Amino acid sequence: MTDFPGPTPMHGDTVELTVGAFWATITGKITSRGVLVDGRGFVELVLPDGDPQQRRVLERAGTYQYRLYDGGVLLYSSPYLQVRETRRESDGALVVVGSP
């Protein structure tokens, strides 16, 4: 398991997402990567195109935590992260940007 996602993307097939008292298991092509913006570290979690409600839930909650798995093996378990940005990619994927 990795301590913090670096610039090399981690790819998984399942993510357990916790947003306040709400939690969900999302499956599909999932990517997690660390990015630097103006010297500050952020985590980008890229989720497959899914329920449009996901974005609204994340924006309203303000914080989230996730566990990324590949083939049942835990790759990364995040601390609680503050939502800094949510956006949709051209392919419909939801990108959630967070920081501790």
Side-chain angles (χ1 to χ4, degrees):
M1 184 171 69
T2 303
D3 292 331
F4 186 80
T8 303
M10 288 186 282
H11 302 284
D13 57 17
T14 305
V15 69
E16 293 175 345
L17 185 64
T18 304
V19 181
F22 168 83
W23 66 271
T25 299
I26 300 167
T27 59
K29 182 181 174 187
I30 301 161
T31 303
S32 177
R33 62 183 167 255
V35 294
L36 283 176
V37 178
D38 296 327
R40 294 184 57 207
F42 297 90
V43 176
E44 287 187 345
L45 178 62
V46 183
L47 303 169
D49 185 11
D51 181 359
Q53 184 69 13
Q54 290 173 342
R55 182 176 182 176
R56 289 186 290 273
V57 167
L58 284 161
E59 287 174 333
R60 287 183 193 136
T63 61
Y64 68 102
Q65 180 183 35
Y66 70 95
R67 289 182 183 84
L68 177 64
Y69 296 87
D70 188 32
V73 176
L74 178 63
L75 300 177
Y76 179 68
S77 179
S78 79
Y80 271 92
L81 301 168
Q82 183 168 351
V83 176
R84 299 296 180 180
E85 175 188 3
T86 60
R87 66 180 185 274
R88 288 278 179 193
E89 297 288 287
S90 60
D91 65 357
L94 174 63
V95 179
V96 183
V97 180
S99 65

